[in-house]
């Protein structure tokens, strides 16, 4: 997670748990000496798959998502490199690869992750309308990369490299850098700290995934129909086409449980598999030194003929407790 200070929290201790419908964290498998665990065996298979010459972007995203959650960062980077090659016209491809590079965490990885996210932000006007406002999510991710760079390599590294990369992206995407650099100068050091940040993405284009968060203490549900709650929980723009991402932010969490629920409402095109593969990135105390992250992978069944939407799936719970 990113470093930095700021932002107190009502819930100073958090517990994040997955339900039986999703997988999370790093898989574990019991095995004797010299035997390969199920997780390691699966990781090897998925890594090998990325070497095949396949031109279906959904295929590489599915592989990349699962390699991410088993912490095979090299394999995930390889999968998302292929996805970017297949679908370079989609900002999702840039963001997916940037997140995988950030997870791997090398100096060159962080530099490239920053460049990829800058492309998503700077070229916002060029993306298809179904990707509208994705640059806001990417900007939050860019700040997290910045915090990593500052924590590991110092402020001077980011001041020198970050500013140069931003101007280069602006020149390539817009033809001029002066206006956007001036207008966004404050963005370099502004930090939005929050107790809870949840970002959901999925692998299937032209797909409407309903995502909601239920707050146990108040009984309130934050979703596309009620994008804000009295406690301050906020849902960003509802994505009804494309791959997401769908973002939830909560500045100050109550001492209660937050449950993430999902279902597929509409799927416009055939896919290579029956399910829509979603990843849910849960970040607690985001933007502070206590930031923690868990990643969940959840397969969702699309609606069948005659159904308005698929079944509701409870993916994960976040519990904020007293310290």
């Amino acid at each position: 997670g990113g470093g930095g200070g700021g932002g107190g929290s009502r819930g100073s201790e958090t517990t994040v748990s997955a339900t039986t419908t999703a997988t999370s964290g790093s898989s574990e498998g019991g095995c004797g000496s010299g035997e390969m665990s199920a997780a390691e065996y699966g990781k090897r298979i998925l890594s090998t798959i990325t070497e095949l010459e396949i031109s279906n972007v959904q295929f590489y995203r599915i592989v990349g998502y699962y390699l991410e959650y088993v912490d095979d960062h090299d394999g995930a980077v390889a999968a998302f490199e292929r996805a970017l090659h297949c679908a370079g016209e989609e900002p999702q491809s840039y963001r997916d690869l940037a997140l995988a590079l950030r997870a791997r965490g090398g100096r060159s990885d962080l530099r490239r992750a920053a460049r990829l996210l800058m492309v998503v932000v700077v070229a916002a006007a060029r993306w298809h309308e179904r990707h509208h406002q994705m640059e806001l999510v990417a900007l939050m991710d860019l700040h997290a990369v910045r915090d990593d760079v500052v924590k590991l390599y110092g402020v001077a590294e980011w001041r020198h490299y970050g500013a140069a990369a931003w101007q280069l992206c602006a020149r390539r995407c817009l033809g001029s850098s002066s206006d956007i650099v001036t207008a966004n100068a404050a963005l370099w050091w502004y930090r939005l700290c929050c107790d809870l940040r949840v970002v959901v993405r999925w692998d299937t284009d032209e797909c409407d995934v309903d995502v909601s968060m239920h707050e146990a203490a108040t009984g309130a549900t934050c979703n596309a129909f009620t994008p804000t709650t009295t406690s301050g929980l906020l849902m960003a723009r509802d994505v009804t086409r494309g791959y997401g991402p769908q973002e939830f932010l909560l500045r100050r969490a109550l001492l209660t449980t937050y449950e993430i629920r999902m279902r597929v409402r509409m799927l416009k095109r055939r896919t290579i598999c029956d399910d829509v593969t979603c990843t849910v990135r849960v970040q607690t105390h985001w933007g502070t030194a206590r930031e923690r992250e868990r990643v969940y992978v959840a397969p969702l069944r699309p609606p069948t003929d005659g159904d308005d939407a698929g079944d509701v799936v409870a993916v994960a719970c976040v519990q904020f407790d007293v310290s």
Side-chain angles (χ1 to χ4, degrees), residues 75-232:
V77 168
F80 291 130
E81 290 276 17
R82 293 293 185 89
L84 178 60
H85 178 75
C86 294
E89 75 283 0
E90 297 173 348
Q92 184 80 8
S93 302
Y94 294 84
R95 181 176 180 268
D96 284 343
L97 179 55
L99 295 182
L101 288 166
R102 184 199 173 202
R104 194 161 67 176
R107 192 169 193 162
S108 61
D109 292 330
L110 293 174
R111 285 189 168 195
R112 190 173 177 212
R115 289 200 306 270
L116 290 166
L117 292 169
M118 287 175 187
V119 169
V120 178
V121 175
V122 174
R126 295 190 174 188
W127 305 124
H128 190 277
E129 62 179 6
R130 72 180 187 274
H131 305 302
H132 180 55
Q133 291 187 2
M134 185 174 174
E135 65 274 11
L136 300 180
V137 179
L139 187 59
M140 297 278 280
D141 296 325
L142 179 59
H143 286 182
V145 173
R146 175 206 60 195
D147 286 348
D148 288 349
V149 171
V150 171
K151 179 180 179 180
L152 294 173
Y153 305 112
V155 174
E157 170 84 3
W158 181 257
R159 287 190 182 277
H160 172 71
Y161 173 75
W166 183 267
Q167 293 182 30
L168 178 62
C169 287
R171 283 196 300 270
R172 288 182 176 179
C173 297
L174 303 177
S176 174
S177 63
S178 58
D179 292 341
I180 194 166
V181 170
T182 301
N184 294 279
L187 297 177
W188 289 113
W189 298 106
Y190 179 77
R191 178 183 289 111
L192 175 62
C193 302
C194 56
D195 283 349
L196 181 61
R197 181 184 186 231
V198 175
V199 184
V200 182
R201 63 183 177 183
W202 48 92
D203 67 308
T204 308
D205 197 9
E206 296 290 349
C207 180
D208 182 7
V209 176
D210 279 349
V211 187
S212 63
M213 287 192 64
H214 178 73
E215 188 176 66
T218 63
T221 298
C222 184
N223 54 31
F225 302 102
T226 311
T228 58
T229 67
T230 56
S231 63

Side-chain angles (χ1 to χ4, degrees), residues 234-254:
L234 169 68
M235 188 187 95
R237 174 179 178 268
D238 183 31
V239 179
T240 59
R241 300 173 62 192
Y243 308 95
Q246 194 72 66
E247 184 179 40
F248 292 82
L249 296 171
L250 180 60
R251 181 71 177 89
R252 297 280 187 176
L254 303 178

Side-chain angles (χ1 to χ4, degrees), residues 24-43:
S24 70
S26 299
S27 298
E28 298 179 357
C31 60
S33 177
E35 296 180 3
M36 185 181 298
S37 69
E40 289 297 322
Y41 188 68
K43 184 189 296 186

Side-chain angles (χ1 to χ4, degrees), residues 17-27 46 61-71 80 199-203 260 262 275-282 294-300 313-316:
S17 61
T19 68
T20 56
T21 57
T23 52
S24 70
S26 299
S27 298
L46 291 171
R61 285 187 175 132
I62 294 172
V63 172
Y65 293 164
Y66 279 100
L67 287 173
E68 271 189 328
Y69 106 82
V70 297
D71 293 332
F80 291 130
V199 184
V200 182
R201 63 183 177 183
W202 48 92
D203 67 308
I260 303 161
M262 303 168 59
D275 294 337
V276 175
T277 303
C278 301
T279 60
V280 182
R281 194 174 296 269
V282 179
R294 291 286 296 275
V295 178
Y296 302 87
V297 179
L300 301 181
V313 174
V315 177

